Amino acid sequence: MESMESLIPVINKLQDVFNTVGADAIQLPQIVILGSQSSGKSSVIESLVGRSILPRGVGIVTRRPLILQLIYTPRDDRVHRSAERGTIDPDEWIEFLHTKGKVYTDWDEVRREIEKETDRVAGSNKGICPDPISLKFFSTSVLSLTMVDLPGLTKVAVGEQPEDIENQIKDLILKFIQNPNSIILAVSPANMDMATSESLKIARDIDPDGRRTLAVITKLDLMDAGTDAIDILCGRVIPVKLGIIGVINRSQQDIIDKKDIKDATKDEASFLQRKYPTLATRNGTPYLAKTLNRLLMHHIRDCLPELKTRVNVMASQFQTLLNSYGQEVVEKNTTLLQIITKFASSYVATLDGTARNIETSELCGGARICYIFHETFGRTLDSIHPLTGLTSMDILTAIRNSNGPRPALFVPEVSFELLVKRQIRRLEEPSLRCVELAHEEMQRIIQHCGNEVQQEMLRFPKLHEKIIDVVTNLLRSRLSPTNTMVENIVAIELAYINTRHPDFYKDMANLGSMLKSPDLETERMNQGRSKPIERGRDGRSRPHSVHFPQQNGEADSDKENQAVPARGQVARTGNRSGQDTVITASTWLSNILPAPREEGVARDNSPSPQHRAVTQVTEGDSQVANIISPIKPVNLLPAIPVQQGRRLNEREQRDCEVIERLIKSYFYLVRKMIQDSVPKSIMHFMVNFVKDNLQSELVSSLYKADQIENLLCESEHIGQRRKEAAEMLGALQKASQIISEIRETHVW
């Protein structure tokens, strides 16, 4: 028993250690007293203590948890008795944790201190507060116990209490009794039906097996005449696994009359012998104290191995936490250079993918830049069609515009250049957007370049801000030359359309082999009329050249019915020379002819910039026979003529198709070069430049004698957290030492 007795002081020491740092992480074995308001909880505690030390009154008196440690201190105790504090001679004294070693021997002063401390934190308006008051009672006549007195359960708010006072008290009680290492002391008055006991109900909800619940029945002397509590005390009404113990407390009148607790204990024993003679030895305050002492010691014995493991694990965790906050800075110059070097190395490692802790949940750093180059940028360029926003009528209009006032004989090269440049310009915007995305990603790396560096950044917020500013400015300074380079890449492609590029030339050769180039055919028609050979019904194409007849004639009526002529078409005129003159297609497209089509196709229903009218001029011997004028006079045409549903003739279809194929071929060639050149430019002008110059830029901007002191000023919360972590680690190490001093025989 002597070995077991030493366990309670061990727990009391641990209680002191953790109350000092305000830690709830370690759940220590203790007795929690639970009951309704005015059920006699505080009276039970005073009976166990043997002194009237708690505030008493009507209504809610206990408004803060009171952790009460009863410590047996015999006269020869040299652990707790000290001449310096004046505790050598007193049989009993009290110390509060918040008064730092002040000794109280006046019980009235103890009550006032409890009331004062309660009002200081919880206020004077009947409100409650979860912060506990810790009190030690040293005596030669008590059994060592650790008890927690809680506010009584209530249903209705009184005075200035908040409306949810019931829930507040219940939450506070649950916080303590949910500790698996606590013993629940459920207090109920005998003059109330046990079936309505709120304390037993809550205890049963939290401890359904009843392994750590002990019931106490108070006010046995106040039961109605003709009734007794034998069935209740024997557990025949509501069984409680650890037992039911009846006690008799002092009445309010006894408290007013300042009746001594020792006298009250004698009166209690007399009442039990008289009223319950067979149960007297298993009830009463002395028996309750012994039972609680025994239960607490056995409970501590069961909890201690797990408690020891828990303390050691938490000590290791707090040691790691303390290390993460770093040591206080002594040599600031060296520390600043170390942080700069560490940040620059971590930044470059994140870019290169050589960081020690590789992210597995998402892409980061250089991998994201690679994704931008080959997925985001590449797919965006691939999605741009060479002919997007370019209709057949647009192509036809460009061909006409490039010819000026002259009728078109052949497809002009200028129209191809104008159109392909227009399409190439569309590659500039996604290229610049690629630069922007890479810049944003390099900015993002600042926040994701290693946990160790991030801890340093949090520790020195001003240094963190300065580093972000320097890196941001460095990246911003590289944004302009990178954008300029990318713009120049596109401008270079626009500056010279190289139709002799090997890949383009090869494509043109393939295109020429695919297309059929018909020979010139001329046929002198009846009445001296001549016209270009047209596609026959067998599908053969018309020739690419124009034949001028010797004789005058009229336009073929079949041709006029076949397609509506348009302004700008090749004119058919007579030639007085008396001979046929043939003009052959011999330009840059001489070997590139379109594939034959069955019939003209309507193109995109896009508005045409111009109408076309056919004017047939017939010459006689010396007079003009007839002139077919345009639909409207030239000076009455609108600025941008519009025509819907326009059908292209075969010549127009052929010209558009040639230009489309050439634009596609050259556009794909340029897109391929830009898709390759833009990422290389970004890497050279931005990524590699920043990698090579980051550390030197940081040192030149930050390593200045007049700034070092300010930059290495720790943030308040980091300093506070380090202090708290150090205190908690010290408490855990001390607790581990206290537990390790217990011999195995004490535990088992």
Side-chain angles (χ1 to χ4, degrees):
M1 185 66 184
E2 209 172 290
S3 299
M4 294 289 287
E5 283 286 351
S6 65
L7 293 179
I8 294 178
V10 168
I11 295 301
N12 288 343
K13 288 181 183 179
L14 295 176
Q15 193 94 48
D16 292 344
V17 167
F18 293 115
N19 283 341
T20 303
V21 295
D24 296 329
I26 298 294
Q27 297 174 323
L28 298 173
Q30 56 194 7
I31 299 169
V32 180
I33 302 176
L34 166 65
S36 300
Q37 189 171 297
S38 301
S39 60
K41 303 184 305 302
S42 297
S43 297
V44 171
I45 291 176
E46 286 187 338
S47 298
L48 294 171
V49 172
R51 293 292 180 182
S52 181
I53 61 173
L54 301 180
R56 306 299 296 276
V58 180
I60 184 167
V61 178
T62 305
R63 297 188 290 123
R64 287 180 64 183
L66 179 67
I67 299 176
L68 178 61
Q69 298 176 0
L70 304 184
I71 303 172
Y72 174 64
T73 52
R75 283 286 184 178
D76 57 351
D77 189 333
R78 290 295 175 262
V79 176
H80 300 100
R81 294 181 181 273
S82 169
E84 295 178 1
R85 294 183 298 156
T87 56
I88 295 291
D89 297 328
D91 290 337
E92 298 171 330
W93 73 92
I94 286 178
E95 294 178 7
F96 287 97
L97 191 63
H98 65 269
T99 58
K100 303 299 181 185
K102 183 179 178 181
V103 175
Y104 294 83
T105 54
D106 183 351
W107 313 133
D108 292 333
E109 188 180 358
V110 171
R111 282 195 298 273
R112 287 194 295 270
E113 181 61 31
I114 293 174
E115 291 172 351
K116 176 184 172 183
E117 184 65 14
T118 299
D119 291 342
R120 185 183 68 82
V121 178
S124 57
N125 60 351
K126 302 292 185 181
I128 66 167
C129 177
D131 297 335
I133 299 173
S134 190
L135 177 151
K136 295 181 182 179
F137 182 78
F138 301 89
S139 175
T140 57
S141 57
V142 297
L143 291 175
S144 295
L145 290 174
T146 301
M147 297 180 291
V148 181
D149 186 19
L150 295 172
L153 291 162
T154 184
K155 295 291 185 182
V156 182
V158 177
E160 298 180 6
Q161 288 180 341
E163 292 297 326
D164 63 339
I165 187 68
E166 178 186 1
N167 293 331
Q168 288 187 24
I169 294 175
K170 188 169 289 187
D171 292 342
L172 177 60
I173 290 171
L174 291 176
K175 176 185 174 183
F176 280 89
I177 67 175
Q178 283 176 340
N179 173 7
N181 295 336
S182 64
I183 295 174
I184 302 173
L185 192 65
V187 178
S188 299
N191 57 358
M192 187 183 74
D193 192 346
M194 284 284 288
T196 63
S197 173
E198 188 74 17
S199 59
L200 283 174
K201 178 181 180 300
I202 293 177
R204 181 168 289 183
D205 290 341
I206 300 300
D207 180 34
D209 297 334
R211 296 178 56 190
R212 54 189 182 93
T213 301
L214 176 68
V216 174
I217 306 300
T218 62
K219 304 182 181 180
L220 291 174
D221 55 334
L222 299 181
M223 295 185 70
D224 293 339
T227 62
D228 59 39
I230 292 178
D231 289 342
I232 295 174
L233 296 175
C234 292
R236 290 195 282 265
V237 176
I238 294 180
V240 179
K241 198 165 188 178
L242 295 183
I244 301 174
I245 300 174
V247 298
I248 299 173
N249 300 328
R250 292 183 301 166
S251 65
Q252 191 64 34
Q253 187 61 46
D254 292 338
I255 295 170
I256 295 173
D257 296 340
K258 296 185 178 180
K259 183 177 181 180
D260 190 69
I261 291 180
K262 293 180 180 179
D263 295 336
T265 304
K266 292 177 182 178
D267 293 343
E268 177 191 49
S270 301
F271 178 85
L272 290 173
Q273 285 291 347
R274 184 176 67 254
K275 188 74 175 176
Y276 306 100
T278 59
L279 302 176
T281 56
R282 288 184 283 120
N283 289 278
T285 302
Y287 181 77
L288 174 62
K290 292 177 183 178
T291 303
L292 290 175
N293 180 266
R294 175 177 54 82
L295 289 175
L296 184 60
M297 284 190 299
H298 284 83
H299 198 61
I300 291 171
R301 182 196 65 185
D302 296 338
C303 297
L304 207 55
E306 182 183 350
L307 187 63
K308 184 176 182 179
T309 302
R310 175 69 175 160
V311 166
N312 291 334
V313 169
M314 286 191 65
S316 176
Q317 292 173 346
F318 272 89
Q319 182 66 61
T320 303
L321 181 62
L322 186 61
N323 292 339
S324 70
Y325 292 140
Q327 300 296 325
E328 293 188 17
V329 179
V330 179
E331 184 57 46
K332 295 195 172 183
N333 290 4
T334 305
T335 302
L336 179 59
L337 284 176
Q338 287 175 346
I339 293 174
I340 289 175
T341 304
K342 189 183 295 184
F343 173 82
S345 301
S346 180
Y347 189 94
V348 173
T350 305
L351 265 178
D352 292 339
T354 57
R356 285 186 298 175
N357 300 319
I358 296 179
E359 183 66 47
T360 57
S361 59
E362 63 173 354
L363 292 179
C364 65
R368 288 177 67 90
I369 294 177
C370 179
Y371 183 88
I372 290 169
F373 287 163
H374 302 291
E375 297 294 330
T376 306
F377 178 58
R379 288 180 180 178
T380 302
L381 290 190
D382 290 342
S383 68
I384 300 176
H385 193 271
L387 300 176
T388 301
L390 198 63
T391 64
S392 296
M393 295 310 297
D394 294 336
I395 297 174
L396 194 59
T397 302
I399 294 173
R400 292 174 184 158
N401 287 339
S402 61
N403 283 304
R406 298 175 300 281
L409 293 178
F410 317 111
V411 179
E413 184 175 359
V414 176
S415 61
F416 163 71
E417 288 199 10
L418 291 174
L419 293 172
V420 81
K421 285 181 179 180
R422 170 180 164 182
Q423 299 306 98
I424 291 173
R425 284 192 187 93
R426 299 176 61 244
L427 300 174
E428 183 174 4
E429 183 180 349
S431 300
L432 293 176
R433 178 59 181 158
C434 180
V435 177
E436 185 180 344
L437 289 175
H439 174 266
E440 291 174 0
E441 184 54 39
M442 293 189 71
Q443 187 76 30
R444 183 175 179 268
I445 292 176
I446 301 174
Q447 307 297 336
H448 300 80
C449 59
N451 293 330
E452 295 179 4
V453 177
Q454 292 305 318
Q455 286 295 335
E456 299 285 357
M457 297 300 171
L458 293 175
R459 185 180 174 190
F460 305 111
K462 292 183 180 179
L463 177 61
H464 186 199
E465 292 175 6
K466 284 290 185 182
I467 287 178
I468 291 177
D469 288 344
V470 171
V471 180
T472 301
N473 292 334
L474 179 60
L475 289 172
R476 190 182 295 120
S477 68
R478 301 312 302 165
L479 193 58
S480 178
T482 308
N483 280 334
T484 302
M485 181 61 195
V486 170
E487 290 170 353
N488 286 339
I489 290 175
V490 179
I492 287 168
E493 297 297 338
L494 293 173
Y496 181 62
I497 304 302
N498 183 16
T499 55
R500 289 290 183 175
H501 189 284
D503 293 339
F504 182 70
Y505 201 66
K506 182 173 61 178
D507 290 343
M508 294 307 94
N510 294 337
L511 181 61
S513 65
M514 291 170 54
L515 300 174
K516 185 177 181 181
S517 180
D519 295 328
L520 277 176
E521 295 182 17
T522 57
E523 180 180 352
R524 192 176 299 274
M525 309 300 295
N526 292 333
Q527 299 177 356
R529 290 177 297 163
S530 177
K531 61 181 180 179
I533 296 176
E534 296 180 353
R535 181 192 297 254
R537 296 193 180 275
D538 59 354
R540 289 181 300 171
S541 300
R542 71 172 73 203
H544 189 56
S545 55
V546 182
H547 181 262
F548 292 89
Q550 176 182 5
Q551 299 176 348
N552 299 333
E554 296 179 354
D556 185 60
S557 60
D558 291 338
K559 173 63 181 175
E560 292 175 356
N561 295 333
Q562 204 172 51
V564 179
R567 188 165 60 254
Q569 186 178 8
V570 177
R572 294 182 291 273
T573 59
N575 190 343
R576 293 189 178 185
S577 63
Q579 296 179 353
D580 292 342
T581 303
V582 177
I583 301 175
T584 308
S586 176
T587 66
W588 63 290
L589 295 176
S590 58
N591 293 324
I592 305 169
L593 294 176
R597 291 194 181 186
E598 291 299 325
E599 192 175 355
V601 190
R603 303 294 294 259
D604 298 326
N605 292 330
S606 301
S608 172
Q610 277 183 293
H611 290 286
R612 208 161 52 154
V614 175
T615 302
Q616 180 176 346
V617 180
T618 307
E619 294 186 6
D621 292 330
S622 60
Q623 61 181 10
V624 178
N626 189 20
I627 297 177
I628 300 177
S629 301
I631 298 172
K632 291 183 180 181
V634 174
N635 61 339
L636 296 181
L637 280 176
I640 303 178
V642 177
Q643 180 175 346
Q644 300 289 345
R646 165 83 154 77
R647 293 179 63 86
L648 304 181
N649 60 33
E650 292 186 10
R651 168 69 181 271
E652 293 167 345
Q653 293 172 18
R654 181 195 63 200
D655 292 348
C656 291
E657 182 176 294
V658 170
I659 293 295
E660 285 177 2
R661 294 194 180 189
L662 293 176
I663 289 174
K664 283 184 180 180
S665 177
Y666 198 83
F667 181 87
Y668 288 143
L669 179 65
V670 173
R671 187 176 70 183
K672 180 179 178 182
M673 289 187 289
I674 288 179
Q675 193 167 346
D676 179 62
S677 300
V678 169
K680 291 179 178 178
S681 301
I682 295 173
M683 287 298 297
H684 175 71
F685 283 90
M686 183 183 295
V687 178
N688 291 342
F689 185 92
V690 171
K691 284 168 53 179
D692 295 340
N693 296 275
L694 178 60
Q695 183 164 351
S696 60
E697 189 73 19
L698 287 170
V699 171
S700 62
S701 300
L702 301 179
Y703 193 70
K704 297 177 181 178
D706 57 337
Q707 294 184 4
I708 293 177
E709 188 72 27
N710 185 43
L711 291 176
L712 293 183
C713 180
E714 280 190 323
S715 63
E716 293 182 3
H717 71 276
I718 288 292
Q720 181 64 26
R721 288 180 184 175
R722 185 196 295 110
K723 180 181 177 183
E724 292 173 356
E727 290 177 351
M728 188 63 184
L729 179 61
L732 288 166
Q733 290 173 342
K734 190 174 181 180
S736 179
Q737 183 180 358
I738 291 170
I739 295 174
S740 64
E741 290 174 356
I742 304 173
R743 297 193 304 273
E744 289 299 319
T745 53
H746 290 178
V747 180
W748 305 108

